């Protein structure tokens, strides 16, 4: 006889093929019934899907229920948190997953305690560093369904999962038949004999434990009424012992076991459940926007808020939290994956628009308040560095100037790389103390200038320029139509006979260095699937022109392609669609990165477009970045898979910031800004730009036979068209390539990634255009003087320290957080002397103090979080 712990829950998608507004209406009814049943039946308990966002939505409608919710939470009959939303496990930044828990736990405290369970029941697989993330949020366990291969990765459903460094671990509890294993609990022989008992025996066959977990619930399902009565009746019918339980209660049982097997690695095997291995390129507009916002907040807004706080500019942390919430709502597994209806996709993009507006306004406020206090004139530029090490190199700034000829007397190197003239305007209102008058507003130039500067660490400085009457004192990027090549000290790139040829300074030559490939996509928003008998079409470039300056050179190559318009035309080989591509490749004099920007005008339906980058390195394995580390993968999948897997276990994989190939002599890394899906073939890396489709779910795909994913093949559920997922229109992609001597080095690669991701933060206090920064004409200058200096540096760390986060404390008003990562397979020691004179404390991400305050060593593939008092 097996003891079955039956846990009543609901899995609550805030949006999917329905919108969050639809879900709000559903929750208003269902959650009220949940609360009423918990009051009526004191023996029952309920798990509200481990996310506080849905509870916050409900309480906004029913604030009168707050005290009841607090009481039920305190009695451990209503389980809430620890997440804000049910996060994606591969395409979010590691810091975003931490913010999800930080905000979820913070919000949970409004209601009392939170469920200390790493509960992600429906996420489409998990990166190998989740144990490190769980440890940072104070969790020692993980409850999940998808991605596991029982019998291959582990034998038991209950085991220990270690991070890549081997030191951080959690107890992992797998639900092999899903979170709906015991749904629709009925005290009947049909239910017990045909559904419940076989499930118990299936799990027990793997676990070999005396007790097993049976989650009882499903998508948007209500609480089970008269739960205890039904369990009593099932005990009379079945051959096992059935008890009302909770996830914390079952966890205590697993912790009591004498030993558990150990697993190290990722969960991405589509065996008992689909993980949608090619979902990383669906609705790329959402994924790219998500990446851009993550980077804006992590690299700009959060550090700027720290700088502002030290300069007595007070901006409430609730604005930061509100901004994160709008992003996190779009990072739920369905939402960020892109397997949603067009209406939901519109909602996601709108929330991201709102988040970006908050971010831009916070940045605008901080920069203007500092510039106002410094009383800068329009010939002075305020430049920030949000990294925790001093910067020396090139930054781009945009300057409004009456004259297009300008000169920076204290800057070693300055070059105008772009200019736009804004013509004068007539009949413009000017408000003066003597009254209103109408004037002609003079024209001006917007000049993009590349400056070689030295910037303080986590601070700012001011540089000045002069307007001059001659071009002699400035340099501009000039067009060189005679050349077919660009070069610097590291690379020589030529365009010859429609072929890009790369020559490295070490003598290595790579032909067909970059091309693109286009092929049909017969899949849906969940998965790419090839069209039968279709062949990928190589897209070679047709023309090139070159621009050069003293310190950087740029090649712009273009291609115009006639391709089949849609799947029907692919069958017929008709070329009636248009695809235009422009690739800009830039080499800077002192930079080992090959910077690339790709513009695509897509007028084709249902296809996949990929970059093919020839590294010239023949390797059997690749190295992909993931949160706080790197994982090695070997392209391999079984040819005979239908009898084991629920979808084809194709070797298309996710990555975080970079993917690399290496041998003993050379290494090559591709860095991207938001593209996170790749495939490795011999010496080539394929990066997916997008896979477009016109349907939410389809049955009988080449890569995914059988039912359609989602609800579209359930009885009464119709197929849902998604014309918005065709991504017709213009799209832009940024990536960079680095080729170096010697074998791959994780620390060096992370430093290069940091340089590639760094941005330009600047401000000009000018009168030409108050909408260059939207709030410039609304942020009022106050009489209160902040007593700021023209140069500010908060603190400095060595350049080799990889800082993954610098943000104001979410839990204290007078503190800020620095998190340092170790992306290598060796321990890394942090020198405490860099924090001398500061009140510091070692904490985790939710700011719980660590027991050992003297352990400043970061284990391999791990992080150290430091809280600093202002």
């Amino acid at each position: 006889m097996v003891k079955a712990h039956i846990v009543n829950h609901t899995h609550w998608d805030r949006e999917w093929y329905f919108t969050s507004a639809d879900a709000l209406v559903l929750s208003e009814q269902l959650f009220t019934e949940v609360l009423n049943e918990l009051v009526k039946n004191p023996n029952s308990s309920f798990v509200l899907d481990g996310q506080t966002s849905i509870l916050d939505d409900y309480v906004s409608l029913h604030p009168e229920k707050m005290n009841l919710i607090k009481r039920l939470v305190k009695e451990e009959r209503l389980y809430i948190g620890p997440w804000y939303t049910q996060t994606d496990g591969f395409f979010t930044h590691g810091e975003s997953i931490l913010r999800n828990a930080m905000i979820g736990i913070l919000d949970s405290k409004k209601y009392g305690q939170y469920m200390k369970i790493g509960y992600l029941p429906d996420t489409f697989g998990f990166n190998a560093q989740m144990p490190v993330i769980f440890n940072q949020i104070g969790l020692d366990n993980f409850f999940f369904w998808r991605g596991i291969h029982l019998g291959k990765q582990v034998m038991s459903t209950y085991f220990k999962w270690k991070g890549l460094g081997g030191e951080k671990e959690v107890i992992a509890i797998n639900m092999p038949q899903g979170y709906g294993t015991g749904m629709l609990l009925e005290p009947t022989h049909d239910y017990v004999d045909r559904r419940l008992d076989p499930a118990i025996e299936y799990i027990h066959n793997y676990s070999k434990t005396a007790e097993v977990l049976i989650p009882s619930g499903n998508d948007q399902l209500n609480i089970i009424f008269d739960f205890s009565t039904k369990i009593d009746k099932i005990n009379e019918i079945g051959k096992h012992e059935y008890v009302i339980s909770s996830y914390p209660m079952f966890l205590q049982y697993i912790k009591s076991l004498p030993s558990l097997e150990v697993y190290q690695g990722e969960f991405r095997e589509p065996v008992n459940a689909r993980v949608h291995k090619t979902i990383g390129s669906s609705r790329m507009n959402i994924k790219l926007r998500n990446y851009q916002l993550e980077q804006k907040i992590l690299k700009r807004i959060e550090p700027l808020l720290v700088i502002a706080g030290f300069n007595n500019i007070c901006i409430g942390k609730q604005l930061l939290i509100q901004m994160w919430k709008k992003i996190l709502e779009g990072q739920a597994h369905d939402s960020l994956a892109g397997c949603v209806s067009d209406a939901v996709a519109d909602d996601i993009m709108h929330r991201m628009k709102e988040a970006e507006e908050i971010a831009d306004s916070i940045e605008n406020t901080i920069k203007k308040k500092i510039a106002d206090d410094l009383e800068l004139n329009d010939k002075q530029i305020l430049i920030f560095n949000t990294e925790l090490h001093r910067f020396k190199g090139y930054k781009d700034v945009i300057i409004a100037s009456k004259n297009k000829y300008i000169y920076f007397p204290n800057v070693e190197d300055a070059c105008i790389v772009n200019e736009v003239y804004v013509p004068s305007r007539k009949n413009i209102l000017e408000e003066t103390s003597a009254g209103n008058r109408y004037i002609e507003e003079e024209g001006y130039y917007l000049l993009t200038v590349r400056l070689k500067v030295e910037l303080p660490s986590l601070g700012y400085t001011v540089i000045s320029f002069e307007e001059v009457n001659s071009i002699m004192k400035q340099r501009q990027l000039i067009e060189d139509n005679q050349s077919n090549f660009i070069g610097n000290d590291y690379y020589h790139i030529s365009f010859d006979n429609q072929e890009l040829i790369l020559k490295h300074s070490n003598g290595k030559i790579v032909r067909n260095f970059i091309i693109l490939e286009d092929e049909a996509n017969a899949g849906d928003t969940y998965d790419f699937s090839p069209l039968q008998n279709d062949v990928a079409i190589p897209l070679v470039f047709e023309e090139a022109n070159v621009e050069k300056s003293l310190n950087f050179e740029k090649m712009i190559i273009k291609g115009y392609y006639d391709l089949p318009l849609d799947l029907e035309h692919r069958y017929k080989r008709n070329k009636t669609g248009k695809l235009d591509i422009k690739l800009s490749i830039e080499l800077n004099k002192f930079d080992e990165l090959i910077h690339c920007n790709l513009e695509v005008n897509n007028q084709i339906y249902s296809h996949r477009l990929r970059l093919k980058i020839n590294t010239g390195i023949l390797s059997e394995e690749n190295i992909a970045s993931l949160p706080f580390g790197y994982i090695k993968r070997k392209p391999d999948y079984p040819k005979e898979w239908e009898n084991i897997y629920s979808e084809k276990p194709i070797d298309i994989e996710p990555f975080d910031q970079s993917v690399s190939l290496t041998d003993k002599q050379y290494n090559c890394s591709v860095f991207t800004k938001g593209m996170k899906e790749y495939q490795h073939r011999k010496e080539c890396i394929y990066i997916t730009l997008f896979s477009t489709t016109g349907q939410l779910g389809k049955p009988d795909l080449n890569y995914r036979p059988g039912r359609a994913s989602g609800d579209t093949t359930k009885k009464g559920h119709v197929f849902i068209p998604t014309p918005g997922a065709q991504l017709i229109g213009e799209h832009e992609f940024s990536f960079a390539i680095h080729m170096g001597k010697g074998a791959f080095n994780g620390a060096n690669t992370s430093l290069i990634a940091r340089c590639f991701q760094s941005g330009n933060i600047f401000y000009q206090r000018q009168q030409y255009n108050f909408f260059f920064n939207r709030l410039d004409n609304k942020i009022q200058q106050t009489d209160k003087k902040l007593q700021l200096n023209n140069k500010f540096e908060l603190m400095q760390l060595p350049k080799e320290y990889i800082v993954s986060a610098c943000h104001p404390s979410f839990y204290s008003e007078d503190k800020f957080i620095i998190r340092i990562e170790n992306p290598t397979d060796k321990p890394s020691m942090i020198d405490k002397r860099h924090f001398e004179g500061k009140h510091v404390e070692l904490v985790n991400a939710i700011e719980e103090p660590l027991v050992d305050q003297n352990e400043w060593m970061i284990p391999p593939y791990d992080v150290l979080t430091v809280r600093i008092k202002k």
Side-chain angles (χ1 to χ4, degrees), residues 765-831:
R765 191 169 177 250
Q766 46 82 23
Q767 301 291 314
Y768 295 104
N769 184 350
F770 286 144
F771 289 87
F772 185 79
N773 297 284
R774 286 192 309 273
L775 295 187
D776 267 4
N777 65 331
K778 295 299 180 185
I779 301 171
Q780 302 300 312
Q781 186 172 355
T782 63
D783 293 332
K784 180 182 177 182
K785 291 295 291 180
L786 301 174
Q787 305 296 325
L788 304 184
N789 296 316
N790 273 24
K791 187 175 182 179
F792 172 77
E793 181 174 77
L794 201 161
M795 64 177 294
Q796 181 186 3
L797 295 178
K799 191 172 184 178
E800 61 268 22
Y801 287 8
I802 307 294
V803 176
S804 70
C806 174
H807 64 81
S809 167
F810 279 51
Y811 300 87
S812 304
E813 294 299 328
D814 62 342
K815 298 171 184 176
F816 72 102
I817 299 296
I818 292 174
R819 189 153 34 253
I820 306 170
E821 64 177 288
N822 173 19
T824 74
D825 59 1
K826 301 289 190 302
S828 175
M829 183 61 69
I830 300 300
D831 192 338

Side-chain angles (χ1 to χ4, degrees), residues 353-380:
K353 172 183 174 291
E354 291 180 312
E356 186 159 38
E357 288 171 351
I358 296 172
D360 290 344
S361 297
I362 290 173
E363 180 174 323
N364 193 171
T365 301
I366 293 169
K367 293 189 299 187
K368 180 168 172 55
K369 284 187 174 293
I370 293 174
D372 283 348
D373 193 75
L374 295 174
E375 297 182 343
L376 300 183
N377 62 48
D378 63 0
K379 305 295 190 299
Q380 294 175 299

Side-chain angles (χ1 to χ4, degrees), residues 750-764:
S750 293
L751 287 171
I752 295 169
R754 181 177 69 187
C755 292
F756 176 59
Q757 307 292 352
S758 67
N760 304 301
I761 307 175
F762 56 89
Y763 184 82
Q764 181 188 15

Side-chain angles (χ1 to χ4, degrees), residues 484 492-504 507-515 540 612-617 683-684 739:
N484 70 336
H492 179 282
I493 299 175
S494 61
F495 183 71
D496 190 14
N497 292 324
Q498 297 185 316
E499 180 183 17
L500 272 175
I501 302 170
L502 171 71
K503 183 177 181 180
H504 195 271
K508 190 177 185 67
I509 297 176
V510 181
R511 304 188 71 91
N512 281 318
F513 175 45
I514 300 174
I515 66 170
V540 297
K612 180 182 178 183
I613 298 169
N614 186 357
T615 69
I617 298 171
E683 68 273 12
C684 294
M739 303 190 76

Side-chain angles (χ1 to χ4, degrees), residues 710-749:
D711 278 357
T712 50
T713 50
K714 289 185 179 180
K715 184 178 179 180
H717 291 63
V718 299
F719 292 124
I720 299 174
T722 56
Q726 294 286 12
L727 301 185
I728 300 299
E730 296 183 353
H731 307 277
E732 189 170 345
F733 308 89
S734 294
F735 62 100
I737 302 166
H738 174 265
M739 303 190 76
K741 291 183 178 180
F744 172 86
N745 181 287
N748 290 342
T749 305

Side-chain angles (χ1 to χ4, degrees), residues 172-205:
I173 294 174
N174 179 243
M175 302 174 284
Q177 295 184 326
Y179 52 86
T181 306
M183 66 179 289
L184 305 176
L185 196 73
E186 294 180 359
T188 64
H189 280 284
D190 275 351
Y191 178 84
V192 175
D193 296 343
R194 300 177 62 181
R195 182 172 190 141
L196 183 59
D197 280 357
I200 292 170
E201 286 147 18
Y202 177 88
I203 299 168
H204 175 67
N205 183 53

